[in-house]
Every structure is written in structure tokens, then in C-alpha cells.
Amino acid sequence: MPTAAILDVDGTLVDTNYQHAIGWQRALRRHDVVVPAWRIHRHIGMGGDQLVAAVAGDVVEERCGDAVRDAEGEIYEGLIDEVARLDGARELIVALGERFDSVVLASSAKEREVDRYLDLLEARELADDWTTSADVEATKPQPDLVHAAVSKAGADGGLMIGDTTWDVEAAGRAGVAAVAVLTGGFGAAELREAGAVAVFESVEELGRNLDRVEAIAGD
């Protein structure tokens, strides 16, 4: 059966999680909503369509959710030049391409952000395909993104590699095994509790253990 390596982008391949946390915090404050950064960080990786209500409540979502999302996009655009690719990210894409039938970069970010990441990773010729926000109706932890990635790969199954509990939960709901890295700031125990079958310190460490990763995908 064809198998796909599905690679989350934000926080897994490029170091964006804390810029996004700052972006959401500043966006909420524009609308007189004060949420501590640690609480926002716990929800980075969840889609923006769900994050406002999750961190600030349904009343805030109803009052200004769309405006907060627009503001976060603007603020994050001002921070995006600070984003760097994580060590070993490009090399991991290459190595997975040698072991899996296809490699799909799975992101629900806006197309312009994904374009920046593809350039940063020099990955346009490495990945078989990628997703953007246009490919999903509901974001993580809903399984839409994982389903979209598997569909783009033309695969019967695959393995999700991510950095947050939301990645792992989305993979589980899609019936796809997940492994995780610690670069998103989530702990190993909570990633395993969410369903990750293996946790690595970084994509570099994951890359040194590809025999194990490939075996997980084949189970």
C-alpha cells in the first residue's frame, strides 16, 4: 500500500510557535482581551477558527473573533522575518522522501505564509505536495488537514509528524499514527497521552531514528 509521510510545518520544520503566541496575545489586547501568553501557547497548533473561543471564551469569539483573527494575521506578518527553519528540517524531508512513497507538508496556514516556509525550507522540489488553509474546512484537532494530506499523496495511509497535541489528536481522528517532536514546547508525556506512539527531542533526533519511524508507519 502506498504510504505518505505527513509533515506538520509550523513548530515542526520552522520555528514559529512563539511568534504566533505573541501575535495572538497582541491581537486579543487590541480588543481589550488580556490572556496570558502561557495559556495561548497551550493552544498553538489549534486552528485560528477555534483558538479565540478556546483561550478567551465564546463571548469574545462572538464579539470580535473575526477581528482578532485578522489582527493576528497582520501582527504575525510583521514577525515572520524572525522565523527560521529548525535544524535538520530540510534533511528530514529528503530522508523521508527516500523511505516513503510520498512526502506532504501539512499546514492550515494562509497560502502566503506557506509560500514563505517553502522558500525557507527550500522544499518546493523536495515535497510531493503541500496543503494550505484552502484545503480544510475545520482545522486541528479536527482531522480535515490529515485527510487532505493523505488525499494529495494518493496514499492508503501514512505517518503524521508534528509538534503539538493538536497534531497528534488530528492524526488519531484520521486513523493515522503520529510521532512528535518537542520543538513546539509541549512535553513528552502530554504528547504521548494525546496518542503519539514515539516522541523525539527534535527533527534531527527523529532523522537519526528513521528505521524506527518507518516501522511505526508500517504497523
Side-chain angles (χ1 to χ4, degrees), residues 67-83:
V68 170
R69 281 182 281 277
D70 289 343
E72 194 277 337
E74 173 198 330
I75 294 164
Y76 179 71
E77 184 65 26
L79 299 171
I80 200 168
D81 286 341
E82 300 175 12
V83 171

Side-chain angles (χ1 to χ4, degrees), residues 45-76:
M46 173 183 280
D49 57 329
Q50 301 176 71
L51 185 143
V52 175
V55 303
D58 291 336
V59 172
V60 173
E61 169 60 35
E62 291 170 9
R63 175 170 67 85
C64 57
D66 288 341
V68 170
R69 281 182 281 277
D70 289 343
E72 194 277 337
E74 173 198 330
I75 294 164
Y76 179 71

Side-chain angles (χ1 to χ4, degrees), residues 52-124:
V52 175
V55 303
D58 291 336
V59 172
V60 173
E61 169 60 35
E62 291 170 9
R63 175 170 67 85
C64 57
D66 288 341
V68 170
R69 281 182 281 277
D70 289 343
E72 194 277 337
E74 173 198 330
I75 294 164
Y76 179 71
E77 184 65 26
L79 299 171
I80 200 168
D81 286 341
E82 300 175 12
V83 171
R85 77 187 188 198
L86 288 158
D87 291 342
R90 189 173 189 277
E91 292 80 3
L92 180 64
I93 299 170
V94 172
L96 290 171
E98 295 171 351
R99 290 173 177 255
F100 287 78
D101 296 301
S102 56
V103 177
V104 177
L105 306 186
S107 175
S108 58
K110 302 175 186 70
E111 185 174 358
R112 66 178 182 271
E113 292 176 13
V114 174
D115 283 340
R116 296 283 287 272
Y117 303 151
L118 290 169
D119 291 341
L120 189 61
L121 292 161
E122 301 174 275
R124 292 182 187 275

Side-chain angles (χ1 to χ4, degrees), residues 131-151:
T131 66
T132 70
S133 58
D135 294 302
V136 298
E137 291 187 13
T139 56
K140 294 177 291 187
Q142 297 305 317
D144 298 33
L145 183 67
V146 183
H147 286 313
V150 171
S151 177

Side-chain angles (χ1 to χ4, degrees), residues 164-182:
T164 72
T165 55
W166 313 111
D167 296 322
V168 176
E169 288 183 25
R173 292 180 183 187
V176 171
V179 300
V181 291
L182 298 179

